[in-house]
Amino acid sequence: MAKSDGGIRILQGLLVFGNVVIGMCGIALTAECIFFVSDPHGLYPLLEATENDDIYAAAWIGIFVGFALFVLSILGIVGVMKSNKTLLLVYIILMLITYAFEMASCITAATHRDFLTPNLFLKQMLERYKKSEPDNNNDKWMIDGVTDTWDKIMVQNQCCGVHGPSDWQEYMSAFRATHNDADYPWPHNCCVLDNQGSPTNLDGCKLGVPGYYNSNGCYDAISGPVNTQAWGVAWFGFAILCWTFFVLLGTMFFWSRIDY
Amino acid sequence: DPTLYTPVLSSLSLGGLTTTSTFVLDQPRCIFPDTLSDAVIWLVVAVPQGAAGFNNTLQPGSPERAYQLFPDSTSAYMTLNTTLLNYPCPKADGEIAVLRVGSETSCQRDNTRPTCNGPLPGPGPYRVKFVAWDNSGPVAETKWSDSISLKTATPWNNIPTTDRGHSAAMIALTSILTILFATLLAGLVAMLVCWGSDACGGSSTFSKPEAVTVQRYNTHHVYDHPPARL
C-alpha cells in the first residue's frame, strides 16, 4: 500500500509540474503571437494582397490558445491536488478542444508558409505596385497597401524588386504602364536617397551605377520576418503540444486510478 | 584613327547597360584627331538593314535622318551631337565616360527636334557608329558596331506561382500531431468506457482503508471449574 501510494504521489507531483510548464508556455505563446500580430515589420499588406494571410490567422488562434492553456493548467493543478474525478474529466475534455485548435494553428502556419515563394511576391508587386486604375475599392485598398509597403521596404532595406532591379526590366508591370522605361528603368525608391527623400544622383541611378542605386533584391528582407513568424508559431506550438500530450496521458492514467 | 574604332557598349558594370528602350555606349575618347576640333561628332543609330546601305552624305537633322520617323520611314537617325571638347583625351581616372542612348523623353514626339535622343522604339537589334561633320560634309567616321539587342519584357501573367511543394517539415509536423491527437482521443474514449462500465481500477487503486477486524484471542482459558476436590 505504501509503495503504490508513493507512486501515486510521484505521479501527482509530475502532473502538477507538467501543468505549471504548460501554463508558462501558454503565456509565452500568447506573448509571441501578439508580437507577430502587431506586425513590427509592416509586411501584412503584402500578405493581405496575396490573399494568403493565413499565417496571421494562425497567430490569432495562438493568442487565444495560449491563454486557454494557462487557465486550464490552473484547473489541472487544482484537480490533481484534490484528486477530483469530475474536475479532471472537465480538464481533459477542455484540454483536448484546446489541443485541436492549437493543432489547426500549427498546421496552418506551416502549410501557408510554403505558399510564400519569391514568384508570389514578384507577381503581386508587378501587378499592383503603383497601378493607376483600380478595378474596385478592394483593389484600391490592396494597391495602396502594396505600394506603400514596397516603398518603405525598398528604402529601409536598400533593396529593389524581389530578385533585383532587373525584375522591372524583365517583366511588364502596372508601374511600367504609367512610367516610361527611359525615365524610370526602375522606381525611384530603388535609388540611393538623401535625407529629403530624393535620389542623390538620378542619372547615376538610371544608368545603374553601383553606389547610386540598390542592386540587391528585397526577397530576403521580406521572407526573413515572415518565415520567423510562421516557424515560430508552428514549432513552438508543436513543442507545447508534444509536452501537453504526455501530461494529458499522465492525467488520464491518474484519473483511472482514482476511486470515489 | 577613327576608321579603326568600333563603337561598343560600356565596359563598366552598369545595372542599366541595356534596358527595354535605352542602352549605354562608351564615349569615343581619344578616337578622333585634334585636327577635327571644329567638327561636330554625331551618333548614327540604325537598324541592321540601314547600316548596310547607309548614305553618309545625308545631313543630320534632315527629314531622312529624323528620330521621329525611325524606324518606319527611315532606317537610321542621327543624334547626340557634340564637339571634341566633350570627349577630352586622355580620360580622367574614375570618370564615368558613357553615352546613354535613349534618355531624352521630352522631345520624343516633337517633330521640330529631329535630332532628339529619344527612347528606342523596340528591342532592336541596332547598330551604331560615330560620324564627324563639318561645314563641308562628313570628314571622319568609325566602323559600325556589332548588333545591340535590348531587353524584352515578358507579361507577368506567365510567372508561375503554383510550383510550390510542401516542405518535409510541414508534412512531418502534420503527421506527428495527427497521431498524437488520435492517441489522446483513444485515451479519452477508453476513459469514458471505463467510467461507464466501472470495470477499471484493478488491484492497485488507492481508496479508503478497509475496516480492520481484530480477532480476540482468549489467552487465558477460563473454564467453569468444578468445585475443587478437597
Side-chain angles (χ1 to χ4, degrees):
Chain A
M1 273 298 272
K3 187 178 173 200
S4 71
D5 201 33
I8 289 296
R9 288 265 172 260
I10 293 177
L11 182 60
Q12 264 185 317
L14 284 177
L15 288 179
V16 169
F17 171 68
N19 276 299
V20 167
V21 171
I22 290 178
M24 296 197 303
C25 287
I27 301 278
L29 183 68
T30 300
E32 183 198 24
C33 290
I34 289 180
F35 174 71
F36 286 139
V37 166
S38 71
D39 194 22
H41 295 273
L43 295 174
Y44 181 68
L46 291 187
L47 293 176
E48 189 185 26
T50 65
E51 276 142 31
N52 226 324
D53 57 354
D54 283 341
I55 57 174
Y56 276 87
W60 275 106
I61 295 177
I63 294 178
F64 295 111
V65 163
F67 186 66
L69 283 177
F70 174 68
V71 169
L72 285 179
S73 72
I74 296 178
L75 178 68
I77 292 174
V78 168
V80 163
M81 297 191 30
K82 290 199 168 163
S83 300
N84 184 328
K85 263 192 146 154
T86 321
L87 217 53
L88 284 180
L89 185 63
V90 168
Y91 165 79
I92 288 174
I93 291 179
L94 288 180
M95 269 297 229
L96 281 180
I97 295 175
T98 310
Y99 197 95
F101 273 102
E102 180 57 19
M103 243 179 74
S105 164
C106 289
I107 294 177
T108 303
T111 310
H112 283 267
R113 149 71 199 90
D114 290 342
F115 287 175
L116 302 176
T117 55
N119 276 349
L120 185 69
F121 291 114
L122 176 65
K123 191 166 179 178
Q124 183 211 91
M125 177 185 83
L126 296 172
E127 215 174 337
R128 292 215 158 95
Y129 180 76
K130 294 212 165 140
K131 181 175 172 188
S132 58
E133 316 224 334
D135 301 327
N136 51 44
N137 271 346
N138 191 37
D139 197 28
K140 179 164 191 348
W141 171 262
M142 289 191 184
I143 290 171
D144 289 342
V146 168
T147 303
D148 293 340
T149 306
W150 270 104
D151 281 340
K152 187 173 58 83
I153 291 175
M154 290 199 281
V155 171
Q156 275 179 359
N157 298 292
Q158 278 104 49
C159 60
C160 184
V162 173
H163 301 106
S166 56
D167 285 345
W168 298 104
Q169 289 294 313
E170 282 174 43
Y171 297 98
M172 300 186 197
S173 55
F175 172 75
R176 180 64 62 231
T178 46
H179 297 75
N180 67 68
D181 172 76
D183 287 332
Y184 294 92
W186 31 76
H188 281 180
N189 279 40
C190 290
C191 303
V192 172
L193 302 177
D194 60 20
N195 294 337
Q196 277 77 41
S198 43
T200 49
N201 186 333
L202 187 57
D203 287 326
C205 178
K206 290 197 267 188
L207 279 173
V209 179
Y212 292 118
Y213 81 127
N214 303 325
S215 52
N216 39 296
C218 298
Y219 181 64
D220 287 338
I222 297 173
S223 70
V226 167
N227 275 352
T228 309
Q229 172 169 339
W231 291 133
V233 171
W235 288 114
F236 187 49
F238 178 73
I240 293 178
L241 289 181
C242 285
W243 178 266
T244 309
F245 171 74
F246 289 111
V247 171
L248 282 179
L249 272 189
T251 311
M252 288 180 186
F253 178 74
F254 180 73
W255 185 91
S256 66
R257 291 278 167 267
I258 306 175
D259 239 16
Y260 276 113
Chain B
D1 181 9
T3 54
L4 298 178
Y5 174 70
T6 311
V8 71
L9 287 176
S10 172
S11 50
L12 301 172
S13 61
L14 297 173
L17 188 67
T18 55
T19 68
T20 53
S21 64
T22 68
F23 59 94
V24 182
L25 294 172
D26 258 346
Q27 286 181 0
R29 295 290 185 98
C30 307
I31 301 299
F32 293 93
D34 288 333
T35 53
L36 296 176
S37 53
D38 292 336
V40 177
I41 303 182
W42 291 85
L43 177 74
V44 182
V45 180
V47 290
Q49 310 88 285
F54 184 67
N55 178 356
N56 66 353
T57 59
L58 287 173
Q59 195 160 28
S62 63
E64 293 85 1
R65 292 281 173 255
Y67 160 80
Q68 286 80 13
L69 298 176
F70 177 83
D72 305 318
S73 315
T74 176
S75 58
Y77 69 99
M78 296 173 78
T79 183
L80 277 175
N81 46 310
T82 181
T83 62
L84 263 183
L85 277 176
N86 282 326
Y87 298 146
C89 184
K91 181 177 95 68
D93 265 342
E95 198 188 339
I96 299 179
V98 293
L99 289 176
R100 188 163 182 247
V101 181
S103 61
E104 263 191 287
T105 50
S106 52
C107 53
Q108 210 172 349
R109 273 170 263 287
D110 185 354
N111 289 331
T112 62
R113 293 275 325 273
T115 58
C116 179
N117 180 21
L120 281 308
Y126 303 102
R127 299 182 76 181
V128 299
K129 78 148 125 187
F130 291 98
V131 177
W133 270 69
D134 70 7
N135 296 330
S136 57
V139 291
E141 59 185 4
T142 65
K143 292 188 188 175
W144 282 103
S145 69
D146 293 332
S147 278
I148 297 171
S149 293
L150 301 183
K151 293 202 155 91
T152 323
T154 57
W156 72 74
N157 294 323
N158 297 341
I159 301 174
T161 55
T162 54
D163 57 8
R164 52 187 185 248
H166 286 299
S167 60
M170 172 256 157
I171 293 176
L173 187 145
T174 309
S175 17
I176 292 176
L177 284 182
T178 317
I179 292 172
L180 294 185
F181 190 60
T183 313
L184 286 178
L185 281 181
L188 178 69
V189 167
M191 261 173 61
L192 295 176
V193 163
C194 237
W195 200 29
S197 71
D198 227 11
C200 313
S203 57
S204 60
T205 52
F206 66 100
S207 51
K208 300 191 200 71
E210 300 162 351
V212 174
T213 51
V214 176
Q215 233 179 341
R216 287 173 178 255
Y217 288 98
N218 266 347
T219 47
H220 299 284
H221 291 280
V222 176
Y223 297 111
D224 247 353
H225 281 296
R229 279 183 297 226
L230 285 167

